[in-house]
Amino acid sequence: MARQMQERALRTREVLLRAAAEEFDASGFAGTGINKILRRAGVTAGALYFHFESKEGLAKAVMQAQPQTIEPHLDSRGLQRLVDITLVWSRRLLEDPLLRAGVRLSVEQGSFGMQDATAFLEWRNIMEECLRDARDNGELLPAVDPAWVAEFVVSACTGVQLYAQLVNGRADLPERTVEMWRLLLPGIATPGALTRIDLTPVHSRS
Amino acid sequence: MARQMQERALRTREVLLRAAAEEFDASGFAGTGINKILRRAGVTAGALYFHFESKEGLAKAVMQAQPQTIEPHLDSRGLQRLVDITLVWSRRLLEDPLLRAGVRLSVEQGSFGMQDATAFLEWRNIMEECLRDARDNGELLPAVDPAWVAEFVVSACTGVQLYAQLVNGRADLPERTVEMWRLLLPGIATPGALTRIDLTPVHSRS
């Protein structure tokens, strides 16, 4: 019985997170009211405040949910996994409200007085792990610093999506992400690893 | 006489632009009122509306003024000029309110319903010109596409400053910019050009 209640609470949290993301994605932080989130989620204010202390708390949870929209779609390792994270991200950013809202809030957070680097640091850690794995597999050039490259890839992806958003509503973000790797990989990967990296979309690989 | 009036109007426009930038830098778009800008500038509402049609118009002018805060400080050419633009930018972003506000508004513009890529495209054009110059001087590897590399450098700088802003208030942005070039240059520059590029701050070169 306790377990059933716990599962129901987790489902309610997920429903709230998705509803908040859909509102934040469409209207931004300032344009989203708690009542609109409640109506969309079909839950009570009491349920919301059981899971999240405020609209700011919901925004933080949406920002931090980004990796969970990507990681389950991957089974590659090392440098290929690092590349795949960004390829899946660039496509899901066109359609997944939870990811779209997380990115929008992360970029615009200064406008509502927030300075929360948690989501960026989480991405950095995930990417650094891929790069350490790549190092252990002999895929990296000797001078490459996994921590710094991870920070730069997070930074560059953030900037590339913002640029694409402004010039064409992100329509060509997947192509920009592939081009980014064509430019970066020669400075990161050994010649042998370079020839093995697959830049085609994850879902269309045979 | 006509010329004196024109010069005075240009000075008033510049004073308004600086005053608006200081307010936008400190308080963001939503937190800045026209009256605060007028008080800081010491001009009348009539003078403001002679030069700018609205707060949105002022914000656009501030975003588009970014290059004028950098370009006068440079006398290098080609690839070195491209690098120098970003090195000067990374340092002035720590202290110049006009540049800081331009970058802040460019990144946060979605939060106040604006989607203006003008400043990004202007930077792209300036950087593409440096890269075409570099191509003519034999500094670029054959596969490099100046237009794409220019877009990527604008994107990457945007993301790097946002990341630095969130993790430490941009304190290490100059170092991050240098590290960015250490990663990017091997994929852009010929071996000969690579050895000649100077990554020390422009002001401390002998």
Side-chain angles (χ1 to χ4, degrees):
Chain A
M1 192 62 178
R3 185 161 154 205
Q4 265 186 335
M5 281 174 70
Q6 208 174 27
E7 279 171 6
R8 192 184 304 162
L10 274 176
R11 268 202 310 277
T12 303
R13 188 184 190 279
E14 189 62 25
V15 166
L16 274 162
L17 203 62
R18 286 262 159 203
E22 284 163 14
E23 292 292 338
F24 286 137
D25 175 35
S27 312
F29 184 81
T32 295
I34 286 281
N35 284 333
K36 281 174 82 178
I37 297 172
L38 292 177
R39 269 200 303 277
R40 188 184 279 268
V43 305
T44 63
L48 188 147
Y49 291 110
F50 174 78
H51 290 285
F52 306 97
E53 62 182 5
S54 61
K55 192 167 87 165
E56 282 75 10
L58 256 171
K60 282 189 187 181
V62 168
M63 288 197 277
Q64 290 165 23
Q66 291 173 60
Q68 83 181 45
T69 68
I70 307 289
E71 290 254 280
H73 300 272
L74 300 174
D75 53 15
S76 45
R77 295 197 56 192
L79 208 45
Q80 185 68 55
R81 186 176 185 86
L82 175 64
V83 168
D84 287 348
I85 287 171
T86 66
L87 297 183
V88 170
W89 166 88
S90 72
R91 293 185 168 265
R92 292 192 71 85
L93 201 41
L94 304 181
E95 59 192 31
D96 182 338
L98 187 53
L99 183 58
R100 293 168 63 88
V103 169
R104 176 171 185 175
L105 294 172
S106 296
V107 168
E108 295 179 2
Q109 59 180 305
S111 72
F112 47 94
M114 203 179 273
Q115 186 176 347
D116 181 4
T118 315
F120 289 81
L121 296 175
E122 174 73 6
W123 275 128
R124 192 268 311 262
N125 292 342
I126 289 169
M127 292 186 177
E128 188 181 344
E129 203 182 306
C130 297
L131 284 155
R132 292 201 180 282
D133 205 17
R135 156 79 24 99
D136 293 343
N137 296 336
E139 295 182 287
L140 301 191
L141 293 173
V144 170
D145 172 357
W148 157 250
V149 171
E151 294 203 356
F152 181 71
V153 173
V154 176
S155 303
C157 285
T158 303
V160 167
Q161 71 77 24
L162 181 59
Y163 192 101
Q165 163 72 14
L166 288 169
V167 296
N168 57 32
R170 295 201 192 110
D172 64 359
L173 182 58
E175 291 75 24
R176 285 178 188 270
T177 307
V178 169
E179 288 304 316
M180 175 185 84
W181 285 114
R182 287 195 209 286
L183 188 60
L184 294 183
L185 282 173
I188 297 174
T190 59
L194 198 54
T195 61
R196 283 191 301 273
I197 297 292
D198 188 347
L199 292 175
T200 59
V202 174
H203 66 81
S204 54
R205 286 177 201 161
S206 52
Chain B
M1 191 64 179
R3 189 166 152 202
Q4 265 187 335
M5 282 175 68
Q6 210 174 24
E7 278 172 7
R8 193 183 303 159
L10 276 176
R11 269 201 310 277
T12 303
R13 187 183 190 281
E14 190 62 26
V15 167
L16 274 162
L17 204 62
R18 286 263 160 203
E22 284 164 14
E23 291 292 339
F24 286 137
D25 174 35
S27 311
F29 183 82
T32 295
I34 286 282
N35 284 333
K36 281 174 83 178
I37 297 172
L38 292 178
R39 270 200 302 277
R40 188 184 279 267
V43 306
T44 64
L48 187 148
Y49 291 111
F50 175 78
H51 289 284
F52 305 98
E53 61 182 6
S54 60
K55 191 167 88 165
E56 283 76 9
L58 256 172
K60 282 189 186 181
V62 168
M63 288 197 276
Q64 289 165 22
Q66 291 173 59
Q68 81 182 47
T69 67
I70 307 290
E71 292 253 279
H73 300 272
L74 301 175
D75 54 13
S76 46
R77 295 195 57 192
L79 208 46
Q80 185 67 56
R81 186 176 185 87
L82 175 64
V83 168
D84 286 347
I85 287 172
T86 65
L87 296 183
V88 171
W89 166 89
S90 72
R91 293 185 168 263
R92 292 193 70 85
L93 202 41
L94 304 181
E95 58 192 29
D96 181 338
L98 188 52
L99 183 58
R100 293 168 62 89
V103 169
R104 177 171 184 175
L105 294 172
S106 296
V107 168
E108 295 179 2
Q109 59 179 303
S111 72
F112 47 95
M114 203 180 273
Q115 187 176 346
D116 182 3
T118 315
F120 289 81
L121 297 174
E122 175 74 5
W123 276 128
R124 192 268 312 261
N125 292 341
I126 289 168
M127 292 187 176
E128 189 182 342
E129 205 182 304
C130 297
L131 284 155
R132 292 200 179 282
D133 204 16
R135 155 79 23 98
D136 293 344
N137 296 336
E139 295 181 288
L140 300 191
L141 293 173
V144 171
D145 173 356
W148 157 251
V149 171
E151 294 202 358
F152 181 71
V153 172
V154 176
S155 303
C157 285
T158 303
V160 167
Q161 71 78 25
L162 181 60
Y163 192 101
Q165 163 72 14
L166 289 170
V167 296
N168 57 32
R170 295 202 192 109
D172 64 358
L173 182 58
E175 290 75 24
R176 285 178 187 270
T177 307
V178 169
E179 288 304 316
M180 175 185 83
W181 285 115
R182 288 196 210 284
L183 188 61
L184 293 184
L185 282 173
I188 297 175
T190 58
L194 198 53
T195 60
R196 283 191 302 273
I197 297 292
D198 189 347
L199 292 175
T200 58
V202 174
H203 67 81
S204 55
R205 285 178 200 161
S206 54

